[in-house]
Amino acid sequence: KTWPIMGTETGARFWLDDPNFSNPTQQSEALKAQQQKAQELLELVRQEMHRIDVIYSPYIGTSALSKINAAAASTPQLLSQEFAALVDKALWVSQASDGAFDITYASVGHLYDYRNKIAPGDEDISKTLPAIGSDRLLWDRKNRTLAFTHPLVKIDLGGLAKGYAVDRGAEILRNHGIKHGSVNAGGDTALIGDNRGRPWFVGVKNPRLTGKEKNWQEQQVLKLPLINEAISTSGDYERFFIDEQDGKRVHHIINPRTGKSSNGLISVSVFGPQGINTDPLSTAIFVMGVEKGLNLINSIQSYEAVLITDTGKVLYSDGLVDPNAN
Ligand code: ADP
């Protein structure tokens, strides 16, 4: 079953234990009860993801994020514990990626409108670039207040909120006894256990589909067998348009140094224990490029990455390389 959050389709799939019954009447009762349990669990996951969407969406004017964006340049804003934990995580990734991932990217990022094919001009970019950078955030962790040190600062948690949302969805299912399942939100998936004795196969989409691919199988360049992990993919094909003037692809992953779409890599997948880490790490590596990106992922235990360059080269982090292969 799917529902929309943060501009993408979201869904959950899971196995319930086989029902117990000893005669046909009991069988239909047991199946009915199972169906009801499945519906209830899906509804719990949907509600939690909707809650997250409503708080952190930049598209909803009344979201906590929008209110902070409107007010934090003039007065410090008190954040909820959950919001504070997301800001802490974002600041950690920003530091680890030397600013390639930075939630203040939105100071420029929010000037893009992909649906209507609008990109800011160079003048607007130079005016707003000084509003990007972690030092534009005055973050008082103890009192949980956030203020902006430049009038044009905007933040956006789109680089980690979906990873967090799939973690939360998976946590809810686990707490209700689910041992085999997956929760998906666009490019982010959290897996619970295995697919009843087999790994889950999560695909890395071919970033340059021709449109002739007949099915899911043909659309993937790789399929990763994963168990009990989260995986996030950042790609330049998810939200983009082609600039009519210079034919360049304008997409949703912004290099905070230039205020423009990041180039070099066209797809980065990161997998490891938690979606709240895989989501911002895939965006960070996308912006950092091959060398720095691989160095970053190789320095983080339990997380691996697959990178695809604009020339179609596929690169792997050290944990995925066979040490005996030459
Ligand atoms: P999605 O699954 O939403 O496509 P990605 O992992 O590809 O997510 O991350 C892209 C999202 O991250 C963008 O939609 C935007 O909200 C946010 N983002 C884009 N560039 C940056 C950046 N340099 N730093 C932090 N967040 C970013």
Side-chain angles (χ1 to χ4, degrees):
K1 189 176 167 180
T2 61
W3 54 84
I5 70 157
M6 300 179 190
T8 48
E9 281 300 302
T10 299
R13 295 193 294 163
F14 47 86
W15 292 101
L16 294 173
D17 291 339
D18 290 328
N20 287 323
F21 53 85
S22 48
N23 63 51
T25 345
Q26 279 183 353
Q27 179 181 12
S28 79
E29 289 292 310
L31 286 174
K32 232 202 262 161
Q34 265 210 326
Q35 231 164 35
Q36 199 177 341
K37 182 173 177 191
Q39 286 302 335
E40 281 168 13
L41 283 183
L42 276 172
E43 184 53 23
L44 286 178
V45 174
R46 193 194 64 77
Q47 276 174 13
E48 173 64 358
M49 295 181 123
H50 179 66
R51 181 189 70 79
I52 293 170
D53 197 13
V54 167
I55 297 175
Y56 303 106
S57 171
Y59 307 112
I60 301 175
T62 52
S63 71
L65 183 102
S66 296
K67 286 183 185 161
I68 281 154
N69 276 337
S74 35
T75 334
Q77 299 292 306
L78 180 67
L79 303 192
S80 69
Q81 295 222 11
E82 180 184 65
F83 204 138
L86 291 172
V87 168
D88 274 337
K89 178 64 76 179
L91 289 173
W92 173 77
V93 182
S94 179
Q95 198 186 10
S97 67
D98 197 16
F101 181 91
D102 201 298
I103 53 175
T104 63
Y105 91 92
S107 310
V108 176
H110 282 182
L111 302 176
Y112 286 83
D113 179 348
Y114 301 97
R115 208 171 287 168
N116 295 309
K117 304 190 178 184
I118 295 170
D122 288 343
E123 215 170 288
D124 285 334
I125 293 181
S126 359
K127 207 172 81 193
T128 29
L129 266 185
I132 297 184
S134 323
D135 55 350
R136 292 297 179 223
L137 300 178
L138 215 57
W139 175 222
D140 180 341
R141 184 170 286 117
K142 199 162 131 256
N143 294 310
R144 266 195 278 126
T145 59
L146 181 68
F148 300 156
T149 64
H150 186 285
L152 297 178
V153 177
K154 297 279 178 275
I155 59 167
D156 189 315
L157 301 179
L160 75 168
K162 277 198 288 160
Y164 172 65
V166 296
D167 282 350
R168 285 289 305 138
E171 191 179 332
I172 287 172
L173 293 179
R174 278 199 185 91
N175 289 344
H176 284 82
I178 298 298
K179 295 190 180 62
H180 312 276
S182 74
V183 180
N184 176 275
D188 304 281
T189 303
L191 303 170
I192 304 166
D194 64 4
N195 189 2
R196 294 226 289 196
R198 308 177 63 213
W200 296 97
F201 285 92
V202 182
V204 173
K205 209 186 244 178
N206 179 346
R208 295 292 180 263
L209 289 173
T210 62
K212 292 200 185 109
E213 296 77 5
K214 284 191 241 30
N215 50 37
W216 187 85
Q217 300 289 347
E218 290 184 8
Q219 289 182 357
Q220 315 303 314
V221 276
L222 286 169
K223 293 182 202 79
L224 297 165
L226 300 174
I227 295 173
N228 215 27
E229 287 197 289
I231 174 162
S232 299
T233 297
S234 296
D236 71 352
Y237 52 88
E238 287 174 52
R239 222 175 303 155
F240 75 96
F241 62 90
I242 304 293
D243 187 321
E244 279 164 14
Q245 314 239 301
D246 60 8
K248 280 193 185 150
R249 184 179 284 250
V250 181
H251 65 82
H252 71 315
I253 302 172
I254 304 294
N255 183 335
R257 297 216 156 84
T258 62
K260 295 191 173 173
S261 301
S262 177
N263 49 40
L265 286 169
I266 63 173
S267 166
V268 175
S269 299
V270 171
F271 60 91
Q274 285 189 299
I276 196 174
N277 293 325
T278 58
D279 194 9
L281 284 172
S282 67
T283 308
I285 294 167
F286 193 103
V287 175
M288 293 170 89
V290 171
E291 203 181 301
K292 288 184 180 163
L294 282 174
N295 280 341
L296 172 64
I297 199 71
N298 288 333
S299 72
I300 301 175
Q301 222 184 356
S302 311
Y303 287 83
E304 301 298 339
V306 181
L307 288 57
I308 306 178
T309 70
D310 56 4
T311 56
K313 224 166 139 186
V314 182
L315 298 141
Y316 298 89
S317 60
D318 285 353
L320 298 174
V321 176
D322 178 353
N324 298 316
N326 52 28

